[in-house]
Amino acid sequence: MSKPFAFLSIDAASRRVSLDARDPAFYRDPNPVYAALHAHCPTFYWEEQKQWYFTGYDQVNALLRDRRFGRQILHVASREELGMAAPMPHLEHFDAAEAWSLLELEPPEHTRLRTLVNRAFVSRQIDRLRPEITELANGLIDRFEKDGKVELLAALADIVPVTMIARMIGIPDAMGPQLLKWSHAYVRMYMFGRTEADEYAADRAAAEFADYVRTVIAERRAEPRDDLLTHMIHTEHKGQLLTDDELISTTIVLLNAGHEATVHQIGNAVRVILDSGLPPQPMFADEKATERTVEECLRICAPVHIFQRYALEDVEVEGIPFRRGDKVALILAAANLDPRKFDDPLAFRPDRDEGANLSFGAGIHFCIGAPLARLELNIVLPLLFQRLPGLRLAQTPVVKDVYHFHGLERLDLEW
């Protein structure tokens, strides 16, 4: 039994791991733990979570694409067959909002919904937003540049992603703060160690969020505009229009996924760059250098660490038998640190060029907003370091108490 950290024990022979995800020494910096797992037990049964986890790059990449696994299970088996508990009444609104979520569906429904929204998120469409993102980011920096200090998350990181995804969908900028509140409450449902209070708060947020989206749908039906919501309302797929429930779920997931991870990643990336002690100028010397720096930040400090899949049939992986309905978990952030894929994986190397990271997933559920997130990061990070020379940490940032969404509580900077 190996015990490289006080909160971690690894039994490589049985592939059993005990790990306290609530220990600050873990969630503040999971990378050394991921390195220990790669060294001793890259595929393991996590005792506290009662589930199998995969960390190897090749395994995670393959399982994300493996059609024997999926994000939903009730399209192939009933709750009774699987021994699943009934839905919880106090999550009625949350479950309704999730019912048609792109993140949770499998084909053919996933294909139909994704086809309708995909056109807005392809790289050539997203690249048209470059001037608008640049103007927004510069305007925000203008507000605090002369102060010599800033809390970056509230002053910029929270604002750019939510504003841009809301504008694309057709929701006014003024709704940004409310969207953030709903989103923060909503995503706590996906955190380890969520409480009953979290569940009630998420259900309230889902109810309010859905009601608001319903009013905007009615407005767009009466008065169409050149925005994504109007496009979703009026575009047919094989003779079918989206229902209101499908429109609400899709809009909520796009708003949540379209900014939550990017907010975290702006903070994560700035911190990693400053912590490295490396001069930022070469990292942003040109477009290619900037792209590599952004990808290295995504690799070494991914904002979302885990995605789960259901076995859609009885299947064996690495000698482990899974029954239909069993859940497996894929640690994307650990796959990004696999020493068989990346040389010296815990080192931040902004010029690294060793292949794609898995921070946006892979397969049919590859993050639809990846081109938008990448563009925002490729614009915002160089601007910050160019406009604020001498940028440095004013104090050690505090990591949020939520594994497996990795982000900062606040990021105090000075220059």
Side-chain angles (χ1 to χ4, degrees), residues 95-123:
D95 289 343
E98 287 286 275
W100 296 99
S101 165
L102 276 170
L103 286 175
E104 305 300 333
L105 293 177
E106 289 298 303
E109 286 81 6
H110 176 271
T111 308
R112 177 170 59 92
L113 289 173
R114 184 145 178 155
T115 299
L116 277 174
V117 298
N118 199 50
R119 190 176 71 181
F121 288 93
V122 294
S123 295

Side-chain angles (χ1 to χ4, degrees), residues 17 27 72 84 122 187 197 206 229 242 258 275 277 320 339 348:
V17 166
Y27 66 72
Q72 65 177 161
M84 287 176 69
V122 294
V187 300
L229 186 53
L242 293 185
D275 274 346
I320 307 158
F348 173 64

Side-chain angles (χ1 to χ4, degrees), residues 135-381:
E135 181 184 11
L136 175 60
N138 271 319
L140 293 169
I141 296 170
D142 287 343
R143 295 182 190 175
F144 57 75
E145 183 181 19
K146 65 182 181 302
D147 299 335
K149 63 178 183 177
V150 71
E151 195 290 289
L152 191 71
L153 301 191
L156 185 141
D158 275 346
I159 300 171
V160 171
V162 75
T163 302
M164 292 311 304
I165 190 64
R167 286 179 183 176
M168 285 179 68
I169 291 169
I171 289 172
D173 289 4
M175 280 300 293
Q178 181 60 66
L179 294 174
L180 283 170
K181 287 177 186 171
W182 283 331
S183 179
H184 292 333
Y186 198 95
V187 300
R188 285 202 74 91
M189 285 293 291
Y190 298 106
M191 313 283 184
F192 276 33
R194 79 183 193 213
T195 65
E196 191 174 53
D198 291 334
E199 293 175 352
Y200 276 100
D203 198 65
R204 281 193 303 274
E208 293 170 10
F209 211 158
D211 285 346
Y212 172 71
V213 173
R214 199 172 279 110
T215 65
V216 183
I217 290 169
E219 289 170 8
R220 292 299 180 277
R221 282 212 172 98
E223 206 174 310
R225 296 187 191 174
D226 183 20
D227 57 37
L228 181 54
L229 186 53
T230 300
H231 166 75
M232 291 193 297
I233 290 168
H234 295 283
T235 303
E236 293 184 3
H237 179 73
K238 296 184 178 177
Q240 280 185 303
L241 291 168
L242 293 185
T243 66
D244 277 12
D245 287 345
E246 290 170 334
L247 287 166
I248 289 165
S249 282
T250 305
T251 301
I252 287 176
V253 77
L254 290 176
L255 280 165
N256 284 344
H259 78 272
E260 190 82 29
T262 312
V263 170
H264 287 166
Q265 192 57 23
I266 292 171
N268 291 348
V270 171
R271 182 196 184 174
V272 163
I273 291 167
L274 293 176
D275 274 346
S276 74
L278 298 171
Q281 290 78 12
M283 300 185 202
F284 305 112
D286 54 35
E287 201 170 290
K288 176 55 71 177
T290 298
E291 285 176 7
R292 285 192 177 168
T293 299
V294 166
E295 293 307 306
E296 178 67 348
C297 290
L298 283 162
R299 184 194 71 83
I300 204 164
C301 58
V304 181
H305 282 214
I306 292 174
F307 263 104
Q308 302 196 80
R309 294 287 189 271
Y310 286 102
L312 302 180
E313 58 189 70
D314 292 352
V315 59
E316 187 174 299
V317 181
E318 289 192 34
I320 307 158
F322 295 103
R323 302 293 302 275
R324 183 175 68 165
D326 286 349
K327 269 186 164 182
V328 301
L330 315 173
I331 310 185
L332 310 182
N336 289 341
L337 303 177
D338 189 337
R340 288 161 295 189
K341 173 69 176 176
F342 301 102
D343 181 55
D344 195 8
L346 296 193
F348 173 64
R349 293 181 180 169
D351 60 349
R352 190 187 292 271
D353 186 18
E354 295 176 315
N357 64 74
L358 293 177
S359 295
F360 291 110
I364 67 165
H365 286 287
F366 179 81
C367 176
I368 198 169
L372 176 60
R374 284 188 160 119
L375 182 61
E376 289 168 345
L377 291 163
N378 275 271
I379 290 171
V380 167
L381 293 177

